[in-house]
Amino acid sequence: MRRDLFEADHEALRETARTFVEREVVPHQDAWLEQGLVDRSAWLAAGAQGLLGIAAPAEHGGAGERDYRYRMVLIEEFARVGAASFNAGTCAQDDLVVPYLMDLGTPEQRKAWLPQLVAGEAIGALAMTEPGAGSDLQGIRTTAVRDGDGWRLSGSKTFITNGIHADVVIVFARTDPDAGSRGYSLFLVESAAEGFRRGRKLEKLGLRGNDTAELFFDDIALPATALLGTPGRGLGHLMERLPLERLSIGATSYAFARAAYDWTTEYVFERKAFGQPIGDFQHTRFTLAELSTELDIAQVYVDRAVLALNDGSLTPVDAAKAKWWLTDLHNRVVDRCVQLHGGYGYMLEYPITRAYADARIQPIFGGTNEIMKEIIGRDLARQHRTDG
């Protein structure tokens, strides 16, 4: 299907990104998977090529370009070579940490961190999830209490993308237990702070080249300048930025599902059985026809969502729809592609096998797909009550 989403400037970035991926990513992926993290040298190389923090203002080293189509280009180029782990890290940095700083940071906070993040000299993380609180963010136990002009932060987080490498972490904490949804705030916590402690680098089913970690905050003394955004508005700040986070997950799923389909199409017309390419068997053709059609439909939706994000009209409900539908599709596509690979689809030397493991997290993080359906369902019920 013809795709009209991208313009000449986006395709120019694609050329740069493709060269970077072939030179700085492809040769090192096996090593990153074995060690469980992407080398910092790759982050620095990405920064040097202008592939990080594209949305950041020019005075902080970025391109000042919030058009999400540029990020979509990068996601697609990572997907083309199966670089899910590096993509996960850069999505956390560019679709979460950088926008939070841009939107909520003081001039001093932006000046301190954005240039480093854009250059790849610093790596950022967003810490929301706790061992007993995943999708239920109001169930967190991490607290920040007033201490003179500053704060004291105590608690722990888990499943934190970029947790081992992170130089700065945006931490979601409870600041007033009696204020309900107005009792949470965000803080910028430097990894060098006394009392900051990294726990285990977690062993995962997929995304094994990304450093996912436990983080501990042992009575950290934070200055007043560590507060990010408005005190008591932490939950609201998160909710306001969920459309971008969930579109990032959905866009990733679309790109990686498309890549899995492309690898599989190439494979089935090279692999022979019973004297002919397995792509010439009717069952294979029917499977490819179904996947191709579903991916074309998904492409229309994700492209529309990207443009809606750009013009500020992407609602939390529409983002939830994109997240659950695209991540479910991602898993269906990869599962059927593994089947078409036969026994080789179970061998880790084949990218489709790694893709199968990498895909499984997509319906879980960023809010489980069950939560996405609840968000959509509540909106439908609200509309029905209003219309009635």
Side-chain angles (χ1 to χ4, degrees):
M1 174 179 283
R2 180 180 174 184
R3 195 173 193 191
D4 297 323
L5 180 67
F6 301 112
E7 299 173 5
D9 287 348
H10 305 109
E11 295 302 339
L13 178 67
R14 188 183 302 279
E15 291 184 18
T16 300
R18 185 162 295 188
T19 299
F20 166 81
V21 164
E22 294 294 342
R23 184 181 65 242
E24 303 290 349
V25 176
V26 172
H28 306 293
Q29 286 205 84
D30 288 345
W32 296 343
L33 289 171
E34 287 185 16
Q35 67 193 24
L37 75 171
V38 174
D39 292 333
R40 277 188 174 266
S41 59
W43 286 87
L44 289 167
Q49 288 294 309
L51 301 178
L52 296 176
I54 292 173
E59 63 263 32
H60 297 312
E65 186 53 78
R66 299 194 77 153
D67 179 352
Y68 197 76
R69 289 177 291 180
Y70 290 103
R71 286 284 303 125
M72 191 74 193
V73 165
L74 297 179
I75 291 170
E76 290 181 354
E77 289 307 304
F78 280 130
R80 187 178 58 82
V81 299
S85 293
F86 200 6
N87 181 73
T90 55
C91 283
Q93 178 132 321
D94 278 9
D95 294 340
L96 298 174
V97 177
V98 168
Y100 272 75
L101 275 164
M102 288 170 55
D103 296 344
L104 303 173
T106 64
E108 293 75 19
Q109 289 170 334
R110 293 196 295 267
K111 183 178 179 180
W113 287 109
L114 284 177
Q116 295 186 67
L117 294 167
V118 170
E121 296 168 358
I123 296 173
L126 178 64
M128 296 187 290
T129 302
E130 298 185 5
S135 296
D136 178 17
L137 289 177
Q138 295 194 59
I140 66 165
R141 296 184 177 182
T142 296
T143 60
V145 297
R146 291 280 188 180
D147 181 28
D149 292 335
W151 302 82
R152 286 277 177 178
L153 178 70
S154 300
S156 65
K157 301 290 182 178
T158 194
F159 307 148
I160 306 306
T161 301
N162 297 343
I164 296 297
H165 269 330
D167 301 288
V168 61
V169 182
I170 298 174
V171 179
F172 180 60
R174 185 187 296 272
T175 47
D176 186 345
D178 300 319
S181 63
R182 303 283 296 185
Y184 303 87
S185 302
L186 298 174
F187 296 89
L188 282 175
V189 181
E190 299 183 36
S191 62
E194 184 177 352
F196 179 92
R197 184 164 51 90
R198 306 181 205 269
R200 297 176 297 155
K201 178 163 63 64
L202 300 171
E203 293 293 323
K204 309 184 297 296
L205 170 67
L207 300 181
R208 294 186 63 83
N210 176 261
D211 55 313
T212 304
E214 300 170 318
L215 300 178
F216 297 92
F217 315 104
D218 300 332
D219 194 32
I220 300 177
L222 295 176
T225 55
L227 180 72
L228 182 65
T230 304
R233 283 276 297 135
L235 189 61
H237 291 327
L238 293 182
M239 296 300 107
E240 291 160 2
R241 281 149 194 85
L242 283 177
L244 171 57
E245 178 182 0
R246 288 170 178 164
L247 177 59
S248 173
I249 295 169
T252 291
S253 275
Y254 165 74
F256 278 82
R258 176 68 77 176
Y261 168 82
D262 290 342
W263 305 332
T264 302
T265 303
E266 183 177 348
Y267 176 82
V268 298
F269 287 107
E270 290 179 352
R271 175 75 173 170
K272 291 186 176 181
F274 304 102
Q276 65 179 2
I278 62 175
D280 286 335
F281 290 108
Q282 185 184 63
H283 170 76
T284 304
R285 292 200 305 268
F286 279 15
T287 300
L288 294 177
E290 291 168 4
L291 296 182
S292 176
T293 303
E294 287 189 280
L295 285 166
D296 282 352
I297 294 168
Q299 175 186 302
V300 173
Y301 193 91
V302 75
D303 288 357
R304 189 176 74 177
V306 166
L307 295 177
L309 180 74
N310 282 352
D311 67 23
S313 64
L314 183 67
T315 68
V317 172
D318 286 340
K321 290 178 179 179
K323 194 269 179 183
W324 93 255
W325 174 256
L326 292 164
T327 58
D328 270 17
L329 175 65
H330 183 188
N331 278 266
R332 293 198 308 273
V333 169
V334 173
D335 181 72
R336 299 184 77 183
C337 288
V338 166
Q339 189 71 20
L340 289 178
H341 277 74
Y344 292 105
Y346 205 64
M347 300 296 109
L348 282 172
E349 64 189 275
Y350 279 75
I352 194 65
T353 313
R354 296 174 180 177
Y356 181 82
D358 293 336
R360 191 58 188 87
I361 188 60
Q362 296 294 103
I364 297 173
F365 66 7
T368 65
N369 281 4
E370 290 74 19
I371 295 296
M372 298 303 99
K373 293 173 187 179
E374 178 65 15
I375 291 169
I376 299 163
R378 284 181 182 177
D379 184 67
L380 293 172
R382 179 191 59 79
Q383 291 182 45
H384 179 75
R385 286 194 296 271
T386 301
D387 294 342

